[in-house]
Amino acid sequence: LAKEQFPGIAGRPRPPAQAYLRLQTLPGEQGQVDWASFGKLAVGQALRNLSAFVMVLSYSRMLFVRFFVGQTQSLFLQGHQHAFDFFGGVPRILLYDNLKSAVLERDGAHIRFHPQLLELCGHYHFEPRPCAPARGNEKGKVERAIQYLRHGFFAARRFSSLDDLNAQLQGWLEHTAHQRLAPGDPEKQTVATLWEQEKPRLLPLPQHPFATDLSCPVVSGKTPYVRFDLNDYSIPHALVRVP
């Protein structure tokens, strides 16, 4: 209306449109990693956050997913270890969003990675690489994989426990997700077919896996129970108040 009444007045200037290049990667070159939240899950008397660790190989779109209760640093490292074992090798670069599990601090181009992630990198010989701020297109493959997981697997899914959920997930990955046509492949090959081509290009696994177990000291009181992760666990009565 204002433009019709005052034709000489220009509208609010629009910001210049941004152009994005299509990012192509070589076999074994890159993977993308992220956490995804899936609501709550009852574990004993506690209500825990249900999260999925997601890693996708950028070339073949081979997908690894594992559900956990929480997003702790220990679980983050376990997710990597399980993914590498599943893929049978390690991509040379892993791309991360600005997760606290990966990036503790950044000042422009200066990045301070989490020290435990750097230990993992040294053990498996891959390079961690964070996305640039506000550049979600850089890790679009893992974001699309998470949306596919939400709508293709998790929606209306019934499960009795975390183990049951992960067991159903493995069947879906093998028979559905990895049998689909690889997005963007001009030859219309499946994800599993491209992964067979990519697998020999991955870095070999080390002789020994990286230590990811969580060690947490606890002390019992007068009763033969210890409290861990919001739940009580029974112990032999002879261990009551034993350091």
Side-chain angles (χ1 to χ4, degrees), residues 218-241:
V218 294
V219 179
S220 66
K222 298 179 181 179
T223 58
Y225 298 94
V226 293
R227 191 161 186 81
F228 173 74
D229 205 15
L230 305 180
N231 287 292
D232 292 325
Y233 297 90
S234 62
I235 61 173
H237 70 278
L239 297 180
V240 169
R241 292 189 174 181

